[in-house]
Amino acid sequence: MGNSYAGQLRTTRFEEVLHNSIEASLRSNTVVPRPVFSQLYLEAEQLPLHSGRVENEEEEDGSESNSPLIPYQMKPPPEGCCTTDGFCQAGRDLRLSSLVSEPLNVAPSFLLVGAKSPSAPDTLLVCAVDRRFLPDERGRNALLGFSGNCIGCGEKGFRYFTEFSNHINLKLSTQPKKQKHLKYHLYRNNQGQLVRGAAICWKGLGNTSRGSRGDWGIFSSGSPVGPIGQPHLADLRPPLTNGSHTPLSQNPLPHTAVLSNGPGRPTVIGTLNAGPPKKRHKGWSPESSAVKTPPASSSSSSSLTNGTKPGRTHCPFSHNLILCSSIWCVCVCLWSPGHGSLPQLSGKVCDVQVSSLLQSCYQNSQALPRVYQHYGPSPIQPLSVEMQILLTVYYLVQLGPDQVPLIQDLEQIFMRSWRESHLREIRQHQHQQPQPGLSLPQAPSTLPGLPQAQVLTPSQLPWLAQLAASSCGEGVVVQEEKVSMALGLAGTFTRLMEGRLAHTNYVVIICTAKGQETESCVVVTGKHQCRILVEGMFSPSDSLREISQQLSSGMTQELTAFCNSLGPDGDVDVLLGGAARESRSHPPPLSSSQESTGDSKYRVEWREVRPIQLAVARKLLSHVCAIADSSTQNLDLGSFDRVHFLICVPPSEVTFQQTVLHLWNSGVLQQLGLEQECLSQREAEHYVVKMDQEARARIDDLIQEAHRNSNTLYIVVHDHAHWDISSGPYGASGGDSGGGLVDSLLNSLQIRDATNILTLHVTSFPFALQTQHTRISPYNEIHWPSAFNNDMDLYHEKTRYFGVSELLDSTRSGSGLPLLRYDSSFESMASVLEERFPKLHSAVIRTQVLVQHYCVALMAVSGRPGSGGRSIHKHTSVETLEIVQSLLSSAQRCPTHHGHMVLLRIPSLALAGWAHQRLAWVRQRLGLGERFEIILGNPSQALSVGQSFTERIKAWLKIQETDWVPRTYLELEALPCILILSGADPLGESLPRSLKYCDLRVISSSYLQRTSLEEELGLAAYLMRVESQGSQPLSHVPGSDLSESDRDKLRSTDNEEEERENALKSELPGLGHFPPPHPHSAPQPLRPFSDSSRWPSKSTSSDSSSTLPPSPLQSCSWAQGVSRPPSVLLPRALYDIITACDEGGLPRCTSFLPHLSVDWVSSFRPLLSKMMTCTEQSLYYRQWTIPRPCHMDSSNRPAEGRTDNFHPRRLLLSGPPQVGKTGAYLQFLGILSRMLIRLMEVDIYDEEEINTSETLAGIDVCVLYTQPCAPWPIIDTLRSMPFDYTVHNPKYEDISTVYCPDYYPNTDGNPRRKEDVYLRRRTARIKLSKYAAYNTYHHCEQCHQYTGFNPGYQMYESLLHGFTFSHLLLGEEIQLYFIIPKSKQHHFSFSQPGGQLESMRLPLTSDWNPDCIKSPIFTPTTGRHEHGLFNLYHAMDGAAHLHILVVKEYEMAVYKKYWPNHIMLVLPTVFNGAGIGAAHFLIKELSYHNLGLERRHRLEGGGPPADVWPFIIVSDDSCVMWNAVDLDSHSASGPVERNVSLKQVLQHMEACPDLTQYGLCGIRKWGSRSPSQGKGGGARHEEPFSRGHLHDFLLLNVDLTQDVQYNENRFMCDDVDFTLRAHSAGLLICRFNNFSVMKKQIAIGGYRTFIIKTKITDVPTSIQPSQYICAPDSKHPFLATPAQLLLEKYLQHTSQRLFPLSARNYTHPILSVDCYLNLGPEVTVCFVSSRPHSINISTAELLFSGLLLCFCDSFVTPGFLKKFHFLKGAILCVICADRSSLRQTVVRLELEDEWRFRLSDEFQTANAKEDRPLFFLTGKHI
């Protein structure tokens, strides 16, 4: 062997591996050594390098072989040379720490490496070594020998490492080896420093002597051509063992691959037994590949049936091969040509099946992954056909004799090999443009210079494939064909008929004809593999039809006869005949008369509503609200006043009745107001429909009803939504279950376009609905809270969910018999019969075996004489014996005859019917008819239970109805029974908590989709009560007991057969002779769970009761096991697949294709991760799956220019099976109905007027000034009415009372408590009328244009206009801004189109338009951009009006965003921190200035200026509805109020005669108390018009009030202050009492929301009112709050201390001049005006208890103050803007004559100097 030719193996490497293999074979006689090919091309690969170092960097294993170390003596150095460690012999420093920043001269093609000396282990020496003698990243391509230079002294040309090691003073004690002492690559970092890099990979990425990981890499020779692309054994990584319960994650290396664990094969790659040399083995026997293990656990993506249309494709062949027809299904051809088709052969065709799975797999792998396509042209190439064929051969080699190849495994192998071969290119593209969400499996780190992959040549392929197949003997045969594939197939069939392939499972034919591309075909010849592959080529429906045909044609008679024969032990039917005769002479001990008593412990827990169901219902509601709140306007919840629903379920009678039962017990019908229509459970069936042909009429009726009732929201709940996802056309042409009915009904245009129909899909397996063309938006998915993120603890659940993941956890515990297991005895018997009856379907054989096991077990356990006795135990399995014994003993032991349910899952209806008939016959023969029931679960039929068992259930449930029968499986709680559940798939039937065994041994192993697998396992899902053990903590849930008699169990089904059989035999004499449990013996642990701390055995949780006699509850096995999940028995093939994990830590089944109706986008896709949430899994499937043409979403293609086509009113609720989704969506319907009712209602302030008095001094309360029917006030009459100074608005209950001589306060004091005043005001929930005002959450078609969300009114169409005017009080010009949408520009005048804003247009007094409001409406607002009631479209009843929002500058953008079509007046920046007084001030002054401009325009136009309309409306932002007293209708309590539009109110007020003579008009605040009722409910007269304070809604005459301004500094009570000053100025104020305004309670924003905080921090802190002020020039913490607000707040809360004589002293009020300030509810204020000719109350006889002078002007004179008289000790308070003004005021008013002042009585607000604090001075009257 030379190494001079390219393309072959290097001689030394091949000889070394061959030598090691021969040596290993000589050393071992039990372990077959690792094949040469595996060592050469499939070397183990280690973990990626971490942070530049290897995990075990100190591991030194010497030479390449296992020979002992040879002592080595170094050559003594020359005299005078340096021998110091870290220096060369020339004395130059070589230490890395010294050369970090030194410039080094490195020759071309040389690399800097670090060497380690044993004498200085912490020091790295810098060396320069020729790169040709160093290995690449995979430990290959290193030339033998050495070439190095000294980096210190510069000496070059060291040709031997021994010489070089002496020169650099390594001082070695062993033979110098570069592999041992040259440790690391060195490189310069970004700072230019020389640092240690990655370790030199001398031994490859894995240590073959330890078996780290298999590497499929192919070594190249030293030719210039790069190495061939390397496939990797890492694709077969998870451990493969022959034990059924071996933990899957015990190896510390997560990437360790285990080839097999069968006899004669190493468990770990390369692990050899070090024994004495034995005789050399000639080769590897075929038995060496007998691997009884699960398939290689690469991430699987699809089952073998994916990608093909179900059916058979026949391949003819020559007549000389007809003999092969004697064997059913001789072979399956997995056809995978490069180009071309299968060659045409002639002959009999029934024995060869052709599958295109391999071809599809190869073609899918040829396509580049979509994720890299957007990078543009790239050098990344797919795997060659030759490499795919080679990988396929090695994959087949790894399979055991009982394993079947999985295409999804092969796809993952291809993907990993491609990724590893192009790692550098992939990383470059990812670095250029990272892809969000891409989660490719992590690849190992590589060193610089990763070589490119070389194409594997066709001439190399056959030789390498044969070399790979040589390791498994005859299991895989590689046949090379040079001419054509036809000749290769003919030769294979000839060898097959000659018997030369008897021990061969796979024949790989490789055709490498010249001038053609390489072709290949895998001929599957193994009988077991052929059976599985052929059955997998059928669709599920075709398989069921095939099974029915075999049963009806009599093909199973021989099998039945064979199963009935027990050999020497007799025949089953004969033995049963003898048992029947015996049973007739011995009647059963249990009769129906003995079981009539009920059980006080019996509970039906499925009726309860759990907290987590309510939480999920609220999540559903929030998503519905999110749809309504979105800008798409797809759902207007505000337009619906009721909810109607229809629940669509699969065509299963039990599921239908189960849903009806849940609906009837949920109370939803009562919540929706349907209890009158639904008086019985039968009538509740109207709201549930089975999705069969009768559903079409029900759906059509719903669509028509929804079209008629637009105010009703219809919810279509599609339960079990994954059941029928077929497209309508495909279903109509004979598709699978459902026939596309769901698509034709629920995806119809009528439902899609109906705006009042919302569809909710509910499923446990949403994967098939999450494709690239899904109709459901990812934002509309609601996932059940996971138990793994502690969400469940938030809901205080009394149950714990036990599902698929928990079942899998029990298989990994290793501490007891797992809940999920397989029956090895059953599998062995089924395998034998499958070989004996090759023409029968495996489901037929397995069902026959299973039923026979149950029959024999019933005979054995019954103990009937003549039934065979103990000798027939060997004809059944221990698992079946255990199930039957538990079934029969449970009811026998319980006093009330409670028992367990055994679920027998048989998908075929024909087989299930036969099994039911057979078991019922055996039960009758054995006389066990009253012991347990046998129920056939046929989806199309109602549940049928025997009369005696029905009476037993009625007694437990305490049902008195004579005709009651159970209709659901849930009602079979505690009934001992065998339920045979049939049907191709479970259809959502819920099972009772008494389910103990879930027998799935006969389900198909051919259809490997995630949905089908998890759906079958979901039958065992269980809700365990965590409170069943009394005071146990939540985590202490008892384990599951196998049976009451089976106390001690071993840990493995493979090793426990004999022990368990003996344990069962000891207790089989008869059911009537079971020994009672010892009263003083504690129960032993029966079936511990995976985590002993979380799932303790029953012995650890019942110590306190172990010493007590057994109670009836303790002897009831059903009561003991109510918190125990059921055991699950699976077929061995499915068990191996489900319990294996992929590299993401998830079960392999999660990586399978989600459903038969979808396809993967590409084989090159990332794996699901264990850390993915449900949302991330949804996004994964949406990215990587596409629907097939038969899928109902295949036609849902997005329109051009869009990436999706989501239905806006479609939601998806997903959750684990049996977790309670039905109860959740039923609760959702209830709370949705309540929310709609709530949306139609609003919380209105409903408070009685305050400060009312039945006695007014000097006024006869019986006098009526105006008739109640008078439409408008009469001016003279109104002037004759007294002005009511008292404030009656309840919102001002906490302010100072305004003194009025005619009012006497209630001496009882305030009836309301103080905390009620500040924390909560009384409200009433009122239904919104059609004239209501709305906030931004209201969306209806009528007001789209009004609010500006119509496409014709976009936000960018608003313009900002400046407006300037001057005012004397402010002393400067005021700059305001208007935001005016283009649609509202006609309300304004501009100098030119688009020019300067001049004025706001006002109508004339004489104008009248029935569809127009003349007065502009101003609404000041802050903090309520979402909740403010600015949508007046409905309130105005469509009338044209001018509405202006007055906002602060910093809120301008957010208000513009939410109200794009509203005009906005933006206040100046200086008013950002101002109160409501500033907004009112600017509104009024701007309006007056605008009135002057409009009058000037009118005058210029030739008209009288007085004709311009002078009124504006100032409205609060919480006014929601308006009412009017209906004077024409009278009731016993007086006139009735009705809702009217704001348009009607304003037009009526604007039409008032002589309105321009009124200064201020307003309306009453609404209260539920009738306006004509007195305080005690008695009638009193109510004036239609009155004079008094006005609030919230004002009609303001800006012309008459020009001399009365709002106080721009005020924060509170500015309307009270303004009304008092307006009245004192002689203005006429009128309140229209026949109108009222309703104010909505809005807890967010508003001008009454103030935050007082310090300047040090923005965090609000608790600051007492006494800290609002301080002494001038004192050190006091300043507050970041306006001075006026601090002053008002201080006076409100501390007036009792400031004015001690005024507290509760109504007859001696405080005199307040020219202003009203709130001094707290305990103080009375008397307002007087200092203006000449002002109207004031008579104060001649009053003695005041105090005087308040706030910013008094020149009208206040000493003479004016001398008119008033004060009590001795009365308090004076003078407030000014600064200290100098304060002193000037005291002097000017001569206050020191009657008032005494002290220096300590001067105060200021707690503001910094720059914040302009206010000052006040107090004094006492002399």
Side-chain angles (χ1 to χ4, degrees), residues 85-147:
D85 294 334
F87 294 77
C88 68
Q89 290 183 348
R92 297 300 181 92
D93 195 345
L94 302 177
R95 294 172 299 176
L96 176 62
S97 58
S98 303
L99 302 177
V100 167
S101 303
E102 295 293 329
L104 301 177
N105 185 16
V106 182
S109 76
F110 275 68
L111 297 177
L112 293 179
V113 297
K116 294 191 74 171
S117 171
S119 58
D122 298 328
T123 303
L124 272 184
L125 306 183
V126 183
C127 312
V129 181
D130 193 332
R131 71 169 66 225
R132 295 175 299 172
F133 298 90
L134 296 174
D136 58 15
E137 295 83 353
R138 302 185 180 279
R140 306 183 182 95
N141 301 331
L143 295 179
L144 298 179
F146 179 80
S147 176

Side-chain angles (χ1 to χ4, degrees), residues 1357-1365 1374-1382 1384-1385 1387-1390 1395-1401 1416-1418 1442-1447 1452 1456 1462-1468 1482-1483 1485-1487 1489-1490 1493:
E1357 296 185 351
S1358 296
L1359 298 178
L1360 185 68
H1361 298 273
F1363 189 79
T1364 305
F1365 71 97
I1374 303 174
Q1375 180 72 34
L1376 299 176
Y1377 291 95
F1378 278 96
I1379 298 177
I1380 307 174
K1382 287 187 176 180
K1384 303 294 177 67
Q1385 288 186 357
H1387 292 292
F1388 296 85
S1389 298
F1390 299 92
Q1396 179 68 32
L1397 174 64
E1398 291 188 344
S1399 67
M1400 181 172 62
R1401 292 177 177 173
I1417 303 173
F1418 290 88
L1442 175 59
H1443 189 195
I1444 301 174
L1445 302 184
V1446 183
V1447 301
M1452 173 182 66
K1456 181 181 177 184
H1462 272 57
I1463 304 170
M1464 294 180 192
L1465 172 61
V1466 184
L1467 300 179
L1482 287 175
I1483 290 172
E1485 298 308 317
L1486 171 68
S1487 300
H1489 180 76
N1490 182 75
L1493 295 175

Side-chain angles (χ1 to χ4, degrees), residues 844-900:
V844 176
I845 297 173
R846 295 176 71 88
T847 304
Q848 288 266 14
V849 174
L850 184 66
V851 172
Q852 191 63 22
H853 275 200
Y854 273 94
C855 294
V856 174
L858 284 171
M859 295 166 60
V861 175
S862 66
R864 296 292 184 191
S867 61
R870 300 182 181 179
S871 60
I872 63 173
H873 296 151
K874 59 186 176 183
H875 300 289
T876 185
S877 67
V878 177
E879 295 283 0
T880 311
L881 273 174
E882 173 194 313
I883 293 172
V884 172
Q885 181 184 353
S886 176
L887 172 67
L888 295 180
S889 64
S890 59
Q892 178 72 14
R893 291 184 173 185
C894 179
T896 50
H897 312 300
H898 294 156
H900 299 299

Side-chain angles (χ1 to χ4, degrees), residues 61-65 67 69 116 146 161-162 165 170 172 174-183 202:
D61 54 335
S63 62
E64 296 288 327
S65 66
S67 58
L69 299 178
K116 294 191 74 171
F146 179 80
F161 186 75
T162 302
S165 63
L170 284 186
L172 305 178
T174 58
Q175 180 70 29
K177 286 182 174 289
K178 63 179 181 180
Q179 296 91 335
K180 183 176 181 180
H181 301 288
L182 298 183
K183 288 291 187 180
W202 289 109

Side-chain angles (χ1 to χ4, degrees), residues 82 138 225 261 303 396 449 453 735 842 931 940 955 1003 1188 1331 1399 1491 1566 1672 1711 1811:
C82 176
R138 302 185 180 279
V225 183
N261 199 15
S303 70
L396 296 176
S842 60
R931 297 292 178 84
S940 60
I1003 64 174
R1188 292 183 178 179
Y1331 301 121
S1399 67
L1491 177 64
W1566 176 85
L1711 179 64
D1811 293 334

Side-chain angles (χ1 to χ4, degrees), residues 733-1043:
S733 60
D736 289 340
S737 62
L741 189 64
V742 171
D743 182 37
S744 60
L745 295 181
L746 300 188
N747 294 333
S748 62
L749 292 178
Q750 293 89 340
I751 287 186
R752 187 193 67 182
D753 297 336
T755 57
N756 60 336
I757 297 181
L758 187 144
T759 306
L760 171 62
H761 299 279
V762 183
T763 177
S764 298
F765 316 101
F767 327 116
L769 301 175
Q770 298 164 335
T771 65
Q772 287 188 357
H773 300 154
T774 180
R775 288 177 163 88
I776 305 167
S777 167
Y779 300 105
N780 289 348
E781 289 190 9
I782 300 93
H783 306 285
W784 201 270
S786 172
F788 299 104
N789 55 8
N790 297 324
D791 281 350
M792 306 296 286
D793 297 336
L794 301 177
Y795 307 112
H796 306 289
E797 278 287 288
K798 297 179 181 179
T799 58
R800 185 180 296 277
Y801 181 75
F802 194 94
V804 176
S805 59
E806 288 79 9
L807 281 173
L808 294 175
D809 288 341
S810 71
T811 65
R812 306 185 184 108
S813 66
S815 59
L817 194 63
L819 295 173
L820 183 68
R821 55 187 186 272
Y822 64 89
D823 187 351
S824 54
S825 299
F826 171 81
E827 296 291 335
S828 300
M829 188 175 297
S831 299
V832 171
L833 291 181
E834 285 177 354
E835 293 186 7
R836 186 180 182 91
F837 301 95
K839 292 183 178 296
L840 292 179
H841 197 282
S842 60
V844 176
I845 297 173
R846 295 176 71 88
T847 304
Q848 288 266 14
V849 174
L850 184 66
V851 172
Q852 191 63 22
H853 275 200
Y854 273 94
C855 294
V856 174
L858 284 171
M859 295 166 60
V861 175
S862 66
R864 296 292 184 191
S867 61
R870 300 182 181 179
S871 60
I872 63 173
H873 296 151
K874 59 186 176 183
H875 300 289
T876 185
S877 67
V878 177
E879 295 283 0
T880 311
L881 273 174
E882 173 194 313
I883 293 172
V884 172
Q885 181 184 353
S886 176
L887 172 67
L888 295 180
S889 64
S890 59
Q892 178 72 14
R893 291 184 173 185
C894 179
T896 50
H897 312 300
H898 294 156
H900 299 299
M901 171 184 280
V902 176
L903 174 67
L904 199 57
R905 176 79 174 104
I906 303 178
S908 169
L909 293 176
L911 282 175
W914 172 84
H916 177 264
Q917 181 181 3
R918 176 69 176 172
L919 289 176
W921 181 79
V922 172
R923 181 188 61 165
Q924 183 267 334
R925 289 283 180 171
L926 294 175
L928 302 176
E930 297 299 324
R931 297 292 178 84
F932 66 96
E933 177 64 306
I934 301 176
I935 303 170
L936 177 60
N938 189 334
S940 60
Q941 297 178 359
L943 181 61
S944 177
V945 180
Q947 182 61 34
S948 62
F949 296 102
T950 299
E951 294 298 327
R952 192 183 303 183
I953 298 174
K954 289 171 62 177
W956 294 339
L957 293 176
K958 298 179 176 61
I959 294 177
Q960 304 299 327
E961 302 175 17
T962 57
D963 59 345
W964 182 90
V965 292
R967 293 184 175 90
T968 68
Y969 299 145
L970 291 174
E971 293 169 314
L972 305 180
E973 181 69 49
L975 181 71
C977 62
I978 295 178
L979 171 62
I980 304 175
L981 186 62
S982 61
D985 299 299
L987 296 181
E989 299 92 346
S990 296
L991 299 172
R993 296 170 57 84
S994 57
L995 175 66
K996 186 173 183 179
Y997 294 98
C998 192
D999 196 338
L1000 309 179
R1001 283 180 280 183
V1002 297
I1003 64 174
S1004 175
S1005 305
S1006 302
Y1007 312 111
L1008 301 180
Q1009 292 85 39
R1010 180 178 183 182
T1011 297
S1012 59
L1013 289 177
E1014 293 189 7
E1015 193 170 26
E1016 298 288 353
L1017 288 176
L1019 291 171
Y1022 199 79
L1023 279 174
M1024 299 183 303
R1025 292 196 66 86
V1026 297
E1027 63 176 7
S1028 59
Q1029 296 297 316
S1031 60
Q1032 284 187 4
L1034 184 65
S1035 60
H1036 289 180
V1037 181
S1040 59
D1041 51 337
L1042 296 177
S1043 68

